Amino acid sequence: EKSKETRARMNYLKRPGPALALALLLSRSSTSTAAPNCDDAVGNGLCPDAFSLSEMGECLIAKRAEVDENCQVYVDINQACGSAMERCGDGIQWGSDAILCVTQWTRKDDLSADCADALLKLPEDKPAAEPEVSEEESEASKKKREKRKAARKRAANDVRKLEAENAREARSKTEKKSKKPKKTRRQRAADDEDL
């Protein structure tokens, strides 16, 4: 199972053009380190007989010495924080949201001492270095930004005009309906008798 954030990024990357360029730029200048996981080990066939998350967890525990340090941290956290992960929901432990569960979704006060110790092994977030941009690129990007801003303003104004026009039309229709004289009870009764 993929997390919502991962699915959203993948859907965003499927879009062509500027969206792809922006996604690539953001992926290069990310401000946080990726959470530890065992995707490489599992993807390389470390646990070919594991068909569920719990089976994969058992396999990773048994083959802990064969995986990289990143995966070992993931295994340690899943073992130490199992009870906290159960509170986050079924299928969290050994899944893609395991680290999120204990770092963001669970209060630190609710973590066991073993779990808190295991979380100390997580790599610290380090800001990525800003990419160098030449003057020409920055001038060109400023012009593009200004063009996009002007286009957004025009579009917003167009939407406001359309909304005002639609509101005027709706008012005029209701005014026309309200100008028709209402029939009295006698007139309605007379109409009913004619039928």
Side-chain angles (χ1 to χ4, degrees):
E1 264 185 63
K2 297 177 183 173
S3 68
K4 289 181 182 178
E5 182 181 357
T6 304
R7 285 191 300 264
R9 281 185 179 168
M10 289 179 72
N11 288 337
Y12 188 73
L13 288 173
K14 289 178 184 176
R15 298 179 192 163
L20 181 59
L22 179 63
L24 290 173
L25 177 67
L26 290 176
S27 68
R28 288 185 185 152
S29 64
S30 176
T31 59
S32 64
T33 310
N37 61 56
C38 294
D39 292 347
D40 290 339
V42 173
N44 291 332
L46 181 71
C47 303
D49 297 330
F51 294 104
S52 68
L53 291 175
S54 60
E55 289 175 353
M56 184 186 73
E58 291 171 10
C59 173
L60 289 171
I61 292 169
K63 297 184 179 184
R64 185 180 183 282
E66 299 175 34
V67 298
D68 62 11
E69 185 179 340
N70 190 28
C71 183
Q72 289 176 0
V73 169
Y74 179 77
V75 171
D76 293 343
I77 291 172
N78 272 278
Q79 284 184 292
C81 303
S83 60
M85 290 179 192
E86 286 176 7
R87 282 185 251 140
C88 288
D90 292 336
I92 297 292
Q93 192 172 15
W94 303 106
S96 60
D97 291 334
I99 302 298
L100 285 175
C101 169
V102 292
T103 58
Q104 295 179 14
W105 303 344
T106 305
R107 294 184 323 192
K108 291 183 180 183
D109 299 343
D110 293 340
L111 299 175
S112 67
D114 291 340
C115 181
D117 290 341
L119 290 176
L120 293 175
K121 297 178 186 176
L122 281 174
E124 292 185 29
D125 289 345
K126 298 176 185 172
E130 290 292 321
E132 292 184 27
V133 179
S134 70
E135 261 185 58
E136 292 175 9
E137 288 181 58
S138 63
E139 288 297 319
S141 63
K142 284 181 185 178
K143 288 180 182 177
K144 285 181 184 178
R145 259 186 271 133
E146 288 171 5
K147 284 182 181 179
R148 287 193 301 263
K149 188 174 181 178
R152 283 193 303 270
K153 273 188 174 180
R154 285 191 304 271
N157 287 334
D158 290 345
V159 168
R160 284 188 201 106
K161 287 177 186 175
L162 285 172
E163 287 175 347
E165 195 174 298
N166 289 340
R168 269 186 258 123
E169 287 178 13
R171 277 194 303 266
S172 67
K173 286 181 182 178
T174 56
E175 288 172 1
K176 287 179 183 176
K177 287 181 182 179
S178 64
K179 288 181 181 178
K180 292 180 183 177
K182 293 185 178 180
K183 292 184 177 183
T184 63
R185 286 185 189 168
R186 287 184 186 162
Q187 289 172 334
R188 283 189 298 234
D191 287 345
D192 289 341
E193 289 176 6
D194 290 340
L195 296 177

